[in-house]
Amino acid sequence: MAKTVDTIEMDFRNAKRQADELEQIAQNLKTLSEGRAQTCLFEVAASWKGENASAFCKKGAAACSHIQNSANDLKNAADTLRRIAANLYEAEMKNYETARNRE
């Protein structure tokens, strides 16, 4: 069954909304890793000395880096989702117009 214009537009809006949600999650992760986590690691380094403190801070820095990479991946996924949604929207609208012109 062919999609209606309303369904095509609703699907497009939903895809854009989901991309926005992914981008917001990415921004939240980036803020967390650059802000609160870094502050915590600096405070730990300032108040805890020794080999264990150094190992903890290295692991914490690696975790922050991993979180930032994940945030970048989510941002890229959101951008890709938007591009795919726009391409699909255009294709579905063309198909709709073609089907309508045949009637």
Side-chain angles (χ1 to χ4, degrees):
M1 184 169 140
K3 288 186 174 183
T4 65
V5 171
D6 291 336
T7 302
I8 294 168
E9 289 176 351
M10 184 177 62
D11 289 346
F12 183 54
R13 281 192 307 271
N14 285 338
K16 289 192 313 181
R17 181 186 48 76
Q18 289 171 343
D20 291 344
E21 289 175 9
L22 281 176
E23 195 162 3
Q24 184 60 51
I25 292 168
Q27 184 58 46
N28 291 346
L29 285 173
K30 191 171 184 178
T31 299
L32 174 70
S33 70
E34 291 176 351
R36 293 176 58 194
Q38 290 295 329
T39 301
C40 180
L41 289 175
F42 289 135
E43 290 174 2
V44 167
S47 61
W48 186 18
K49 304 297 180 199
E51 287 181 34
N52 289 337
S54 178
F56 179 86
C57 289
K58 284 180 185 177
K59 287 184 180 185
C64 286
S65 177
H66 181 70
I67 291 170
Q68 287 178 345
N69 290 339
S70 295
N72 290 336
D73 290 345
L74 283 173
K75 172 78 168 85
N76 290 336
D79 292 341
T80 301
L81 178 57
R82 283 189 188 95
R83 281 194 308 275
I84 291 170
N87 290 340
L88 185 59
Y89 175 79
E90 289 177 23
E92 287 182 332
M93 289 303 285
K94 285 180 185 176
N95 287 341
Y96 176 81
E97 287 300 320
T98 300
R100 195 178 79 166
N101 290 334
R102 286 184 188 161
E103 292 176 357

